[in-house]
Amino acid sequence: MLVSGSLSTSWTAYLGLLSALSATFVPSVAVKEHDFKKCHQSGFCARNRAFADHALATTSWQSPYNIAPESGSFKDGQYQATILKTINDKGETVRLPITISFLESGTARVTVDEEKRQKGEIELRHNSKARKERYNEAEQWVIVGGLTLDKAAKVDYEDKTQVTVKFGPSSEFEATISFSPFSIDFKRDGHTHVKLNDQGLLNIEHWRPKIEKTESAASEETKEGETKEQDKKEKPKKEDESTWWDETFGGNTDSKPRGPESVALDISFVGYEHVYGIPSHAGPLSLKQTRGGDGNYQEPYRMYNADVFEYILDSPMTLYGSIPFMQAHSKDSSVGVFWLNAAETWVDITKGKGSKNPLALGTKAKTSTHTHWISESGLLDVFVLLGPTPKDLTARYGELTGTTAMPQEFALGYHQCRWNYVSDEDVRDVDRKMDKFKMPYDVIWLDIEYTDEKKYFTFDKHTFPDPIGMGKQLDSHGRKLVTIIDPHIKNVDNYPVVAELKSKDLGVKNKEGNLFEGWCWPGSSHWIDAFSPAAREWWASLFKYDSFKGTMENTWIWNDMNEPSVFNGPETTMPKDNLHFGNWEHRDVHNLNGMTFQNATYHALTSRKPGELRRPFVLTRAFFAGSQRVGAMWTGDNQAAWDHLEASIPMVLSQGISGFPFAGADVGGFFGNPEKELLTRWYQTGAFYPFFRGHAHIDARRREPYLAGEPYTTIIGAALRLRYSLLPSWYTAFRQAHVDGTPIIKPMFYTHPSEEGGFAIDDQFFVGNTGLLAKPITQKDRVEVDIWIPDSEVYYDYFTYEVVPTSKGKSVTLDAPLEKIPLLMRGGHILARRDIPRRSSALMKWDDYTLVVTVGRDGKLAEGDLYVDDGESFDYQAGQYIHRRFVFDAAGKSIVSVDAEGRSAKDVQEGEWMKKMRQVGVDKIVIVGAPAAWAGKREVTVESEGKTWSAKMEFTPAMKGRGAFAVVKKLGVRIGADWKISFA
Ligand SMILES: *[C@@H]1O[C@H](CO)[C@@H](O)[C@H](O)[C@H]1NC(C)=O
């Protein structure tokens, strides 16, 4: 969080302190859009856009990048060659080694480096200690698998101008590498899908020495600027060197010891009209064009993790985290690219029929999407994923960067946060009131004020005299505490943490190689350098129970401000010429910074006490590709406004398809005071965020859900209980995400990739495989909503079992008075719930299950699954879990439960938790849309574990649009056992 423009009284003290410490530094109290760079203010972005303008406007434009004749060789799934970049009229060239790796998964990777820099044959300016190589360690932090080379890939055709490689599953993928100019054309099933450098925008700014200009040269340049329009068109424009050597923004100067070094490439998606991904941006799921025109953006999408508080909506502006993974989608086909670069990155998007080279496209009238990727430094490193389905893309991406960590079950419950719960008694009081008003919740949070003057790893002794007593009260109902720990360490005497950081030399350095000092919440601070193994080891020591006193087994951690936020730094972050472990410049690793810090905390939480190992919970604000492996994220400092509620859904959906589905927005809105209707609708929406947390700014009035008053309190309570009853289904969806990268809430294009009408819809979604289709209300005074129906299945209202009169590809209007969440059940699914309301998820651990079956149109099969484990340990990795598949067969008149993974009882040695689960059963099955023929039936036959018995069934006939339904009670079957229920 960051302080808002309006200052509370409690804040004034802090400001006084700051001004006492520094007469010159004025804290930014109103960060606005103009505090962040536009493309024209970011030298390399401006240069590459100008390069693109010139290339696209010049008919005879030829990319100056060519593969050197005879330089190419193909071996064991890898093609290697040297690209020669022609740098002047004399034909001088720069050597750029390229490696194209064909991976077993069918993904291709293209990596381009710079030979002079590989060899260290460059000179740095300003006596910089920075590394000479292009940053080549992003892979080390990001990639966890999927790099095995495809030994079956083979050269299919080769001559002096090109080479074609066949690769991928049954060799259905093909890459044609053209030498002059260099480009790559990726085909699937004989059709081109992705093209690299088709528009000739490849640009790798090679290292060059700075030549100090003589006065006459400088004046010549002025003349150059006056060149006649006509000349300009014909002659290649002289490059604008003004931003090569240093750049100033907002009073901060970047010394750029290596000069210009950007990498850029155009990537065309041939025949694709929609592109998704590259979160986090506050805009539509289907990305907009960025080169102006009606309804389009003027600016490229930017990825440069930043503390952008009070962010503006419908904007390509950067936010707190970045995932440079983009998916293109057209009817029945998905492809994607993953741009592995952690430096500041911009992406321009344009759409159009044909291309610069229409013949080469081979598709006539179809719209294509052209993207232009621009990064400030590092290798050019791009993965091309050829689909063909959205699910293939998320799975392939998951193999590379890892899937979402399996969270503890409590993490899926409701989290109650505000800046700040002011004392341990305040926390105890909220805890009691939540119980009094029957509001289930799992976690209460402490923002920065719990500390002793912003010194992390301490509690304020006056306001939190008894944190352990507080923790124990929470624990008595299975609840947890999350405390905030940020990466800035207060620079003050008598604080052992900062003393150790200094003496052990574990902080981020400035460009001179001395400990970097900047400003954040505590005033003067230093930043832990989580890129350093020694720093991570030290960090772990700080979380031990006897070190972080006041914490106990149910304390978990929130990492905020890890972009990192530096109040007096350029764009509220670190200077780019700061140095990290290994002397890599901050410039190279900026977008990785948040992830390495969250990861350091994640690992710290696995070693608090010998013998105690549970899945850590760490929430992060900044993130990158791979952060999903170590925790949850939220969308940062939003506002208590209807349009922010609305914007949260596409933002959370975008996280989901981009491999980081454990995502949510602050319920209620961080800044401001939500009116009660907004707060209520926000809880109804938040109950469908994978990460569900209410949060509020220090200046916002208290808004714990029980304070809302009637009817709001009751309605919010119902939304919380809906979340809790569906926890088994949410947990199952997380398991799926953990196994193969599938999003937890899914947009229409993902579940129905053939239905073009759904490709731009981003305000409704399916939950896991449950068939639940939700469209939360995000507008004021709305009492009905149109929901788009993607198929011809039958849809039932979740609450009333009404059969909604739908037709495929059309919208249907649903009633949605304040107390109602528009939520449908698609026919053909089975979902699991736990229906007894309790105070926390931990208290539901041994409750029986309810299964809800929705009978599909034409009596098709209904299917679903349930995954359950102990919800906290890593024992699931040793098979300690129950994973059932339920199948309802209307024709066969039965429901069966079988092991979803085909394991038999003897495959699993039952541990303590599994033994205890023997007592947990299925209490009830509801069959919505039950066949009319069941009227009059009172009993069903149950078979399980070698026994047969009967159970009671109640049948309620269809009536006034509501479907018939049957309820079978007191089944007496175990959740972990095979069973069969016959209705015949
Ligand atoms: C996470 O921390 C572990 C343990 O220190 C380290 O081995 C790993 O490289 C780190 N990964 C990231 C992404 O920071």
PDB file of all heavy atoms in Angstrom, residues 661-685:
ATOM      1  N   PRO A 661      -2.818 -18.245 -11.207  1.00  0.00           N
ATOM      2  CA  PRO A 661      -4.251 -18.126 -10.942  1.00  0.00           C
ATOM      3  C   PRO A 661      -4.616 -17.790  -9.502  1.00  0.00           C
ATOM      4  O   PRO A 661      -5.766 -17.434  -9.239  1.00  0.00           O
ATOM      5  CB  PRO A 661      -4.779 -19.521 -11.305  1.00  0.00           C
ATOM      6  CG  PRO A 661      -3.633 -20.433 -11.052  1.00  0.00           C
ATOM      7  CD  PRO A 661      -2.395 -19.645 -11.388  1.00  0.00           C
ATOM      8  N   PHE A 662      -3.672 -17.887  -8.566  1.00  0.00           N
ATOM      9  CA  PHE A 662      -4.019 -17.640  -7.155  1.00  0.00           C
ATOM     10  C   PHE A 662      -4.036 -16.117  -6.964  1.00  0.00           C
ATOM     11  O   PHE A 662      -3.083 -15.521  -6.449  1.00  0.00           O
ATOM     12  CB  PHE A 662      -3.002 -18.318  -6.244  1.00  0.00           C
ATOM     13  CG  PHE A 662      -3.455 -18.474  -4.811  1.00  0.00           C
ATOM     14  CD1 PHE A 662      -4.698 -18.046  -4.381  1.00  0.00           C
ATOM     15  CD2 PHE A 662      -2.619 -19.081  -3.883  1.00  0.00           C
ATOM     16  CE1 PHE A 662      -5.115 -18.211  -3.067  1.00  0.00           C
ATOM     17  CE2 PHE A 662      -3.012 -19.251  -2.563  1.00  0.00           C
ATOM     18  CZ  PHE A 662      -4.266 -18.802  -2.153  1.00  0.00           C
ATOM     19  N   ALA A 663      -5.134 -15.512  -7.387  1.00  0.00           N
ATOM     20  CA  ALA A 663      -5.187 -14.066  -7.541  1.00  0.00           C
ATOM     21  C   ALA A 663      -6.503 -13.517  -7.035  1.00  0.00           C
ATOM     22  O   ALA A 663      -7.534 -14.183  -7.092  1.00  0.00           O
ATOM     23  CB  ALA A 663      -5.033 -13.713  -9.031  1.00  0.00           C
ATOM     24  N   GLY A 664      -6.453 -12.279  -6.559  1.00  0.00           N
ATOM     25  CA  GLY A 664      -7.675 -11.593  -6.146  1.00  0.00           C
ATOM     26  C   GLY A 664      -7.431 -10.100  -6.068  1.00  0.00           C
ATOM     27  O   GLY A 664      -6.293  -9.638  -6.144  1.00  0.00           O
ATOM     28  N   ALA A 665      -8.522  -9.365  -5.939  1.00  0.00           N
ATOM     29  CA  ALA A 665      -8.429  -7.913  -5.764  1.00  0.00           C
ATOM     30  C   ALA A 665      -8.917  -7.592  -4.351  1.00  0.00           C
ATOM     31  O   ALA A 665      -9.667  -8.366  -3.759  1.00  0.00           O
ATOM     32  CB  ALA A 665      -9.295  -7.205  -6.796  1.00  0.00           C
ATOM     33  N   ASP A 666      -8.486  -6.451  -3.810  1.00  0.00           N
ATOM     34  CA  ASP A 666      -8.947  -6.056  -2.477  1.00  0.00           C
ATOM     35  C   ASP A 666     -10.461  -5.881  -2.476  1.00  0.00           C
ATOM     36  O   ASP A 666     -10.996  -5.019  -3.178  1.00  0.00           O
ATOM     37  CB  ASP A 666      -8.285  -4.738  -2.052  1.00  0.00           C
ATOM     38  CG  ASP A 666      -6.863  -4.941  -1.545  1.00  0.00           C
ATOM     39  OD1 ASP A 666      -6.485  -6.098  -1.257  1.00  0.00           O
ATOM     40  OD2 ASP A 666      -6.137  -3.936  -1.424  1.00  0.00           O
ATOM     41  N   VAL A 667     -11.144  -6.698  -1.678  1.00  0.00           N
ATOM     42  CA  VAL A 667     -12.603  -6.620  -1.612  1.00  0.00           C
ATOM     43  C   VAL A 667     -12.987  -5.339  -0.868  1.00  0.00           C
ATOM     44  O   VAL A 667     -12.468  -5.052   0.210  1.00  0.00           O
ATOM     45  CB  VAL A 667     -13.178  -7.867  -0.918  1.00  0.00           C
ATOM     46  CG1 VAL A 667     -14.673  -7.696  -0.625  1.00  0.00           C
ATOM     47  CG2 VAL A 667     -12.942  -9.096  -1.785  1.00  0.00           C
ATOM     48  N   GLY A 668     -13.883  -4.585  -1.470  1.00  0.00           N
ATOM     49  CA  GLY A 668     -14.297  -3.303  -0.916  1.00  0.00           C
ATOM     50  C   GLY A 668     -13.545  -2.139  -1.542  1.00  0.00           C
ATOM     51  O   GLY A 668     -14.018  -1.011  -1.518  1.00  0.00           O
ATOM     52  N   GLY A 669     -12.372  -2.438  -2.104  1.00  0.00           N
ATOM     53  CA  GLY A 669     -11.548  -1.371  -2.684  1.00  0.00           C
ATOM     54  C   GLY A 669     -10.658  -0.772  -1.608  1.00  0.00           C
ATOM     55  O   GLY A 669     -11.114  -0.452  -0.518  1.00  0.00           O
ATOM     56  N   PHE A 670      -9.372  -0.625  -1.915  1.00  0.00           N
ATOM     57  CA  PHE A 670      -8.396  -0.185  -0.906  1.00  0.00           C
ATOM     58  C   PHE A 670      -8.626   1.278  -0.484  1.00  0.00           C
ATOM     59  O   PHE A 670      -8.823   1.575   0.689  1.00  0.00           O
ATOM     60  CB  PHE A 670      -6.988  -0.374  -1.468  1.00  0.00           C
ATOM     61  CG  PHE A 670      -5.886   0.014  -0.539  1.00  0.00           C
ATOM     62  CD1 PHE A 670      -5.738  -0.605   0.694  1.00  0.00           C
ATOM     63  CD2 PHE A 670      -4.967   0.991  -0.908  1.00  0.00           C
ATOM     64  CE1 PHE A 670      -4.698  -0.247   1.548  1.00  0.00           C
ATOM     65  CE2 PHE A 670      -3.924   1.347  -0.063  1.00  0.00           C
ATOM     66  CZ  PHE A 670      -3.797   0.735   1.172  1.00  0.00           C
ATOM     67  N   PHE A 671      -8.620   2.165  -1.472  1.00  0.00           N
ATOM     68  CA  PHE A 671      -8.811   3.584  -1.144  1.00  0.00           C
ATOM     69  C   PHE A 671     -10.289   3.935  -1.097  1.00  0.00           C
ATOM     70  O   PHE A 671     -11.048   3.494  -1.951  1.00  0.00           O
ATOM     71  CB  PHE A 671      -8.176   4.477  -2.215  1.00  0.00           C
ATOM     72  CG  PHE A 671      -6.682   4.419  -2.233  1.00  0.00           C
ATOM     73  CD1 PHE A 671      -6.022   3.753  -3.257  1.00  0.00           C
ATOM     74  CD2 PHE A 671      -5.942   5.028  -1.236  1.00  0.00           C
ATOM     75  CE1 PHE A 671      -4.646   3.698  -3.289  1.00  0.00           C
ATOM     76  CE2 PHE A 671      -4.559   4.974  -1.266  1.00  0.00           C
ATOM     77  CZ  PHE A 671      -3.909   4.309  -2.286  1.00  0.00           C
ATOM     78  N   GLY A 672     -10.656   4.760  -0.162  1.00  0.00           N
ATOM     79  CA  GLY A 672     -12.014   5.294  -0.152  1.00  0.00           C
ATOM     80  C   GLY A 672     -12.957   4.440   0.663  1.00  0.00           C
ATOM     81  O   GLY A 672     -12.570   3.427   1.271  1.00  0.00           O
ATOM     82  N   ASN A 673     -14.198   4.876   0.690  1.00  0.00           N
ATOM     83  CA  ASN A 673     -15.217   4.217   1.489  1.00  0.00           C
ATOM     84  C   ASN A 673     -16.339   3.730   0.590  1.00  0.00           C
ATOM     85  O   ASN A 673     -17.063   4.532   0.017  1.00  0.00           O
ATOM     86  CB  ASN A 673     -15.778   5.203   2.522  1.00  0.00           C
ATOM     87  CG  ASN A 673     -14.695   5.628   3.500  1.00  0.00           C
ATOM     88  OD1 ASN A 673     -14.114   4.794   4.175  1.00  0.00           O
ATOM     89  ND2 ASN A 673     -14.403   6.919   3.526  1.00  0.00           N
ATOM     90  N   PRO A 674     -16.457   2.419   0.440  1.00  0.00           N
ATOM     91  CA  PRO A 674     -17.486   1.905  -0.463  1.00  0.00           C
ATOM     92  C   PRO A 674     -18.876   2.116   0.140  1.00  0.00           C
ATOM     93  O   PRO A 674     -19.064   1.928   1.338  1.00  0.00           O
ATOM     94  CB  PRO A 674     -17.156   0.418  -0.561  1.00  0.00           C
ATOM     95  CG  PRO A 674     -16.440   0.098   0.706  1.00  0.00           C
ATOM     96  CD  PRO A 674     -15.696   1.346   1.092  1.00  0.00           C
ATOM     97  N   GLU A 675     -19.818   2.530  -0.683  1.00  0.00           N
ATOM     98  CA  GLU A 675     -21.201   2.528  -0.206  1.00  0.00           C
ATOM     99  C   GLU A 675     -21.570   1.071   0.063  1.00  0.00           C
ATOM    100  O   GLU A 675     -20.913   0.148  -0.429  1.00  0.00           O
ATOM    101  CB  GLU A 675     -22.094   3.152  -1.268  1.00  0.00           C
ATOM    102  CG  GLU A 675     -21.988   2.447  -2.614  1.00  0.00           C
ATOM    103  CD  GLU A 675     -22.687   3.211  -3.729  1.00  0.00           C
ATOM    104  OE1 GLU A 675     -23.924   3.240  -3.702  1.00  0.00           O
ATOM    105  OE2 GLU A 675     -21.992   3.748  -4.615  1.00  0.00           O
ATOM    106  N   LYS A 676     -22.615   0.868   0.830  1.00  0.00           N
ATOM    107  CA  LYS A 676     -22.910  -0.494   1.292  1.00  0.00           C
ATOM    108  C   LYS A 676     -23.290  -1.445   0.165  1.00  0.00           C
ATOM    109  O   LYS A 676     -22.960  -2.631   0.192  1.00  0.00           O
ATOM    110  CB  LYS A 676     -24.006  -0.447   2.352  1.00  0.00           C
ATOM    111  CG  LYS A 676     -23.435   0.129   3.644  1.00  0.00           C
ATOM    112  CD  LYS A 676     -24.453   0.334   4.705  1.00  0.00           C
ATOM    113  CE  LYS A 676     -23.759   0.950   5.921  1.00  0.00           C
ATOM    114  NZ  LYS A 676     -24.686   1.139   7.035  1.00  0.00           N
ATOM    115  N   GLU A 677     -23.999  -0.911  -0.828  1.00  0.00           N
ATOM    116  CA  GLU A 677     -24.355  -1.760  -1.966  1.00  0.00           C
ATOM    117  C   GLU A 677     -23.082  -2.242  -2.675  1.00  0.00           C
ATOM    118  O   GLU A 677     -22.956  -3.417  -3.033  1.00  0.00           O
ATOM    119  CB  GLU A 677     -25.234  -0.968  -2.943  1.00  0.00           C
ATOM    120  CG  GLU A 677     -25.691  -1.814  -4.133  1.00  0.00           C
ATOM    121  CD  GLU A 677     -26.314  -0.977  -5.255  1.00  0.00           C
ATOM    122  OE1 GLU A 677     -26.631   0.214  -5.015  1.00  0.00           O
ATOM    123  OE2 GLU A 677     -26.484  -1.524  -6.352  1.00  0.00           O
ATOM    124  N   LEU A 678     -22.128  -1.325  -2.849  1.00  0.00           N
ATOM    125  CA  LEU A 678     -20.865  -1.692  -3.505  1.00  0.00           C
ATOM    126  C   LEU A 678     -20.112  -2.728  -2.682  1.00  0.00           C
ATOM    127  O   LEU A 678     -19.616  -3.730  -3.206  1.00  0.00           O
ATOM    128  CB  LEU A 678     -20.019  -0.431  -3.724  1.00  0.00           C
ATOM    129  CG  LEU A 678     -18.586  -0.650  -4.230  1.00  0.00           C
ATOM    130  CD1 LEU A 678     -18.567  -1.403  -5.565  1.00  0.00           C
ATOM    131  CD2 LEU A 678     -17.853   0.697  -4.384  1.00  0.00           C
ATOM    132  N   LEU A 679     -20.050  -2.488  -1.377  1.00  0.00           N
ATOM    133  CA  LEU A 679     -19.341  -3.432  -0.514  1.00  0.00           C
ATOM    134  C   LEU A 679     -19.976  -4.819  -0.623  1.00  0.00           C
ATOM    135  O   LEU A 679     -19.281  -5.837  -0.728  1.00  0.00           O
ATOM    136  CB  LEU A 679     -19.376  -2.939   0.938  1.00  0.00           C
ATOM    137  CG  LEU A 679     -18.578  -3.800   1.927  1.00  0.00           C
ATOM    138  CD1 LEU A 679     -17.084  -3.703   1.644  1.00  0.00           C
ATOM    139  CD2 LEU A 679     -18.863  -3.379   3.370  1.00  0.00           C
ATOM    140  N   THR A 680     -21.297  -4.859  -0.627  1.00  0.00           N
ATOM    141  CA  THR A 680     -22.011  -6.130  -0.700  1.00  0.00           C
ATOM    142  C   THR A 680     -21.744  -6.830  -2.030  1.00  0.00           C
ATOM    143  O   THR A 680     -21.412  -8.022  -2.068  1.00  0.00           O
ATOM    144  CB  THR A 680     -23.516  -5.873  -0.528  1.00  0.00           C
ATOM    145  OG1 THR A 680     -23.710  -5.131   0.684  1.00  0.00           O
ATOM    146  CG2 THR A 680     -24.293  -7.175  -0.460  1.00  0.00           C
ATOM    147  N   ARG A 681     -21.855  -6.085  -3.120  1.00  0.00           N
ATOM    148  CA  ARG A 681     -21.599  -6.683  -4.442  1.00  0.00           C
ATOM    149  C   ARG A 681     -20.140  -7.129  -4.539  1.00  0.00           C
ATOM    150  O   ARG A 681     -19.829  -8.104  -5.226  1.00  0.00           O
ATOM    151  CB  ARG A 681     -21.913  -5.663  -5.544  1.00  0.00           C
ATOM    152  CG  ARG A 681     -23.399  -5.356  -5.732  1.00  0.00           C
ATOM    153  CD  ARG A 681     -24.225  -6.606  -6.048  1.00  0.00           C
ATOM    154  NE  ARG A 681     -25.515  -6.288  -6.629  1.00  0.00           N
ATOM    155  CZ  ARG A 681     -26.471  -7.191  -6.854  1.00  0.00           C
ATOM    156  NH1 ARG A 681     -26.262  -8.471  -6.529  1.00  0.00           N
ATOM    157  NH2 ARG A 681     -27.604  -6.834  -7.404  1.00  0.00           N
ATOM    158  N   TRP A 682     -19.263  -6.412  -3.850  1.00  0.00           N
ATOM    159  CA  TRP A 682     -17.849  -6.786  -3.917  1.00  0.00           C
ATOM    160  C   TRP A 682     -17.608  -8.113  -3.186  1.00  0.00           C
ATOM    161  O   TRP A 682     -16.839  -8.967  -3.643  1.00  0.00           O
ATOM    162  CB  TRP A 682     -16.958  -5.668  -3.376  1.00  0.00           C
ATOM    163  CG  TRP A 682     -15.645  -5.607  -4.118  1.00  0.00           C
ATOM    164  CD1 TRP A 682     -14.866  -6.660  -4.500  1.00  0.00           C
ATOM    165  CD2 TRP A 682     -14.989  -4.426  -4.604  1.00  0.00           C
ATOM    166  NE1 TRP A 682     -13.755  -6.218  -5.164  1.00  0.00           N
ATOM    167  CE2 TRP A 682     -13.801  -4.858  -5.247  1.00  0.00           C
ATOM    168  CE3 TRP A 682     -15.265  -3.055  -4.542  1.00  0.00           C
ATOM    169  CZ2 TRP A 682     -12.895  -3.958  -5.826  1.00  0.00           C
ATOM    170  CZ3 TRP A 682     -14.350  -2.176  -5.119  1.00  0.00           C
ATOM    171  CH2 TRP A 682     -13.193  -2.614  -5.756  1.00  0.00           C
ATOM    172  N   TYR A 683     -18.281  -8.317  -2.065  1.00  0.00           N
ATOM    173  CA  TYR A 683     -18.164  -9.628  -1.399  1.00  0.00           C
ATOM    174  C   TYR A 683     -18.720 -10.735  -2.288  1.00  0.00           C
ATOM    175  O   TYR A 683     -18.167 -11.838  -2.360  1.00  0.00           O
ATOM    176  CB  TYR A 683     -18.864  -9.620  -0.034  1.00  0.00           C
ATOM    177  CG  TYR A 683     -17.927  -9.153   1.055  1.00  0.00           C
ATOM    178  CD1 TYR A 683     -17.922  -7.826   1.474  1.00  0.00           C
ATOM    179  CD2 TYR A 683     -17.020 -10.034   1.641  1.00  0.00           C
ATOM    180  CE1 TYR A 683     -17.032  -7.389   2.450  1.00  0.00           C
ATOM    181  CE2 TYR A 683     -16.129  -9.605   2.615  1.00  0.00           C
ATOM    182  CZ  TYR A 683     -16.138  -8.283   3.017  1.00  0.00           C
ATOM    183  OH  TYR A 683     -15.249  -7.867   3.973  1.00  0.00           O
ATOM    184  N   GLN A 684     -19.809 -10.442  -2.984  1.00  0.00           N
ATOM    185  CA  GLN A 684     -20.395 -11.466  -3.860  1.00  0.00           C
ATOM    186  C   GLN A 684     -19.452 -11.794  -5.018  1.00  0.00           C
ATOM    187  O   GLN A 684     -19.431 -12.919  -5.512  1.00  0.00           O
ATOM    188  CB  GLN A 684     -21.743 -10.973  -4.401  1.00  0.00           C
ATOM    189  CG  GLN A 684     -22.809 -10.869  -3.312  1.00  0.00           C
ATOM    190  CD  GLN A 684     -24.131 -10.314  -3.839  1.00  0.00           C
ATOM    191  OE1 GLN A 684     -24.145  -9.614  -4.863  1.00  0.00           O
ATOM    192  NE2 GLN A 684     -25.218 -10.610  -3.148  1.00  0.00           N
ATOM    193  N   THR A 685     -18.680 -10.805  -5.451  1.00  0.00           N
ATOM    194  CA  THR A 685     -17.683 -11.036  -6.503  1.00  0.00           C
ATOM    195  C   THR A 685     -16.447 -11.722  -5.912  1.00  0.00           C
ATOM    196  O   THR A 685     -15.938 -12.708  -6.455  1.00  0.00           O
ATOM    197  CB  THR A 685     -17.264  -9.688  -7.142  1.00  0.00           C
ATOM    198  OG1 THR A 685     -18.439  -9.016  -7.599  1.00  0.00           O
ATOM    199  CG2 THR A 685     -16.313  -9.904  -8.304  1.00  0.00           C
TER     200      THR A 685
END
